[in-house]
Amino acid sequence: MRIALVAATARGRAAADELAKAWPDRASIVDGPAGDALRTAFTTYDQVVAFLAVGATVRVLAPLLDHKATDPPVVCVDESHRYAVAVLGTHHGAADLARAVTTVLGGEPVITTASESADVTPLDSFAAHLGLRVADPAPLPQVATAVLSGAPVRLDNPDRWPLPPLPPNVSPTAENPAAIIRVGPAAPREHPEPPPAPSATARAPAAPPVTDGAARPGAGGSDVSRETVLEYAAPELVVGVGSARGVSAAEVDELIDTVVRASGRNPASLRALATIDLKEDEPGIVEAARRRGLKLITYPAVALASEDVPTPSETVRAAVGTPSVAEAAALRAARDAGRAAELLVAKHTTAHATAALARLWPRGRLALVGLGPGDPELLTPAARTELARASDVVGLGQYLDQVRGLLRTGTAVHASGLGQEEERARTAVRLASEGRAVALVGSGDAGVYAMAAPALEMAGPDLDVVGVPGITAATAASGLLGAALGHDHVLISLSDLHTPWPVIERRVRAAAEADLVVCFYNPRSRGRDWQLGHAMDLLAAHRPPGTPVGYVREATRPEQRVTLTTLRDFDPSEVDMRTVVIVGSSQSRLIAGRFVTPRGYRWADT
Ligand code: SAH
């Protein structure tokens, strides 16, 4: 991703410098008279940030505009950096770019598209993160209007792609729909449901693959006009290719066309080209994959030999050690990317190549999203993005209230109470297994004393899991105190709910002996009031009484309280469950009123 920065004034130039410094790998300043620089930026970069008036920008770019899906997104920033305006390509990156600009320069993103202001998932980039592509953009405006106006819209998603939410007027059962949104091909499915066993070893069903060139029927059975059926090509196809040495890219390319045509599916649904590892450098295959933007996936012969295929060949086995390359590789790669797969088109052969086509059923999606310690500024942009993608959000009621404003219209919220962790994890995994896009949220990082582990203990291979890291209470507190975690440290939870006390005690003792900085989570509750004092005594046996101790209650929340003291003066009764306590190592010091753990030991001093 290359971002061009264009400025005309000194202030604009200063802000451009600041952005270039913040994004050194991505952003560069395009010099020259503003008009020329803007034209160069627009025609040769992926994204443009212009420190110019919207009007001036539009006048320069107007003759260059082509299509919103292919033009680079453009953001204009006003002279005082109060606003970053998504001017062109809002749903193709400009909205995100505008937000990103304001995280560096301050100010507010200005986004003026209808769906953005109504918090409705935009249709032109709908589920782009899953690889979905609009098959034909012509019906977009009409279907988007139907969605936003509240008219009944039917959503056909027979394979259960884990789609982002849409408003409640969009549903699989909408009657007399004004429009239809369809994910995947329109043709009636011979196998509407995938084979049952979603395990890693699931086999393809013994479906009769299409072996001739007969295309399946096109968009049939619709009760609305063509203009109001919006079809998305889902990345459900994998082409398997085998070849003789020296095959041309053109031959491979044509053969891919043949098998895709035979399937009746949209060529935009191809997601990968799979082959045997012997062919990973075969120029014709590599080039054919590159031209179509397909990922090249290779497998060793032994992996392919174990696939059940319709057209095995002993000649092929003798040559490369597996009776099938094209069919086996297609099937294997499709299954690896989905919860199940089937061979759709059996082997087709030309003079120097073979190809076969497999399709997959997608996995449900489980995002484990850390919300940070409290302050919305400490919720990462990645977490915001995931929350906007979720059809279902699962979490503790108090955290869900924090993020409700970030959810798209139509998101189902599953709130639960304190102590219902197992139920929360179970709900999230069940919904994701049903093919939904689930965000399981927790404060701090979702993987630190939180929901990620219980959820993943229950989750099978039929899910795609996305971990979105969060800023933890420990790092937030360390930063508020100074640089408390500046050198080796350990987190220890003092809650004996999940761990027996003797185990906790053993860990505290070990940390004391190892001279680690210790950060205590869950330090003290009404029913658990002696453990913290006891743990501090264990540490005090190994470090000086003047060792810094810092504790932060409600870090980064309005009621935040930061306290800095020493082992000698520490009073456990000041601490409760909304607090983390950080105890320094023997090297930690108070420097100018800040808790600092120097990086490394200064040997000369010890
Ligand atoms: N996943 C969280 C931890 C949850 S366990 C994280 O990554 O930080 C709950 C414990 O975390 C609380 O008992 C408290 O010790 C600590 N905690 C969470 N948020 C806090 C905050 N804002 N300020 C202080 N302590 C916090």
Side-chain angles (χ1 to χ4, degrees), residues 42 72 88 104 131 141 160 162 174 186 195 217 262-263 399 407 419 453 495 545 595:
F42 191 78
L88 295 168
V104 179
R160 294 193 268 138
S263 75
Y399 299 142
L407 306 181
S495 164
F595 180 161

Side-chain angles (χ1 to χ4, degrees), residues 373-374 443-446 448-450 471-474 520-523 552-557 577-580:
S443 82
D445 183 277
V448 175
Y449 304 123
I471 295 167
T472 63
F520 289 119
Y521 271 71
N522 305 301
V552 181
R553 183 170 192 276
E554 304 275 29
T556 82
R557 297 181 189 148
M577 277 294 274
R578 293 158 171 229
T579 310
V580 283

Side-chain angles (χ1 to χ4, degrees), residues 7-36:
T9 64
R11 284 194 76 180
R13 177 71 199 207
D17 283 340
E18 203 175 323
L19 270 189
K21 221 180 293 157
W23 301 336
D25 313 330
R26 286 179 288 158
S28 33
I29 294 172
V30 181
D31 287 314
D36 294 344

Side-chain angles (χ1 to χ4, degrees), residues 350-385:
T350 54
H352 309 98
T354 58
L357 195 68
R359 56 81 56 118
L360 59 87
W361 281 269
R363 298 190 178 111
R365 197 158 188 279
L366 177 61
L368 305 163
V369 183
L371 302 181
D375 183 346
E377 293 260 293
L378 298 180
L379 179 69
T380 65
R384 286 170 197 269
T385 302

Side-chain angles (χ1 to χ4, degrees), residues 17-401:
D17 283 340
E18 203 175 323
L19 270 189
K21 221 180 293 157
W23 301 336
D25 313 330
R26 286 179 288 158
S28 33
I29 294 172
V30 181
D31 287 314
D36 294 344
L38 190 55
R39 272 185 286 271
T40 307
F42 191 78
T43 47
T44 55
Y45 281 74
D46 302 317
Q47 302 196 328
V48 180
V49 179
F51 296 87
L52 302 169
V54 170
T57 306
V58 168
R59 272 176 214 290
V60 172
L61 295 182
L64 306 176
L65 297 183
D66 180 16
H67 190 277
K68 60 182 176 181
T70 49
D71 287 340
V74 177
V75 167
C76 286
V77 180
D78 69 307
E79 188 68 6
S80 56
H81 318 161
R82 259 179 314 176
Y83 304 109
V85 189
V87 174
L88 295 168
T90 302
H91 299 318
H92 294 275
D96 292 337
L97 182 60
R99 290 190 197 99
V101 167
T102 60
T103 61
V104 179
L105 300 179
E108 263 180 76
V110 178
I111 289 144
T112 56
T113 48
S115 54
E116 196 73 32
S117 53
D119 287 332
V120 172
T121 305
L123 289 181
D124 43 6
S125 56
F126 185 60
H129 62 285
L130 301 177
L132 258 61
R133 284 191 237 173
V134 177
D136 166 16
L140 257 173
Q142 242 178 294
V143 176
T145 305
V147 169
L148 291 173
S149 68
V153 172
R154 201 176 78 212
L155 174 65
D156 291 345
N157 177 24
D159 287 347
R160 294 193 268 138
W161 287 85
L163 302 175
L166 287 168
N169 55 307
V170 183
S171 98
T173 53
E175 285 184 23
N176 302 320
I180 293 176
I181 296 172
R182 178 179 288 143
V183 176
R189 287 282 162 81
E190 288 148 32
H191 313 285
E193 276 298 307
S199 73
T201 54
R203 282 290 152 122
V210 182
T211 47
D212 61 17
R216 296 184 181 193
S222 74
D223 31 358
V224 296
S225 73
R226 218 190 127 269
E227 292 72 45
T228 46
V229 181
L230 178 59
E231 190 173 326
Y232 290 90
E236 57 168 356
L237 303 180
V238 177
V239 65
V241 176
S243 82
R245 190 157 305 154
V247 68
S248 73
E251 184 174 342
V252 175
D253 200 47
E254 246 169 66
L255 189 52
I256 294 176
D257 274 337
T258 306
V259 291
V260 173
R261 218 175 307 118
S263 75
R265 310 267 166 146
N266 192 321
S269 296
L270 275 175
R271 64 183 294 142
L273 187 163
T275 187
I276 189 165
D277 55 7
L278 292 173
K279 298 287 169 197
E280 68 187 356
D281 297 326
E282 184 64 45
I285 290 181
V286 173
E287 174 59 17
R290 195 198 58 79
R291 278 188 202 165
R292 290 173 184 257
L294 299 178
K295 192 168 167 212
L296 183 64
I297 301 172
T298 60
Y299 293 99
V302 282
L304 299 181
S306 61
E307 291 293 326
D308 237 348
V309 295
T311 345
S313 149
E314 282 315 310
T315 325
V316 175
R317 186 203 293 277
V320 293
T322 164
S324 163
V325 172
E327 291 177 348
L331 255 179
R332 172 66 195 259
R335 211 178 50 235
D336 281 354
R339 71 181 196 279
E342 71 173 347
L343 198 69
L344 211 54
V345 180
K347 185 164 77 174
H348 279 51
T349 305
T350 54
H352 309 98
T354 58
L357 195 68
R359 56 81 56 118
L360 59 87
W361 281 269
R363 298 190 178 111
R365 197 158 188 279
L366 177 61
L368 305 163
V369 183
L371 302 181
D375 183 346
E377 293 260 293
L378 298 180
L379 179 69
T380 65
R384 286 170 197 269
T385 302
E386 275 309 325
L387 290 170
R389 285 173 180 166
S391 63
D392 295 75
V393 178
V394 181
L396 201 61
Q398 69 194 75
Y399 299 142
L400 293 178
D401 291 340

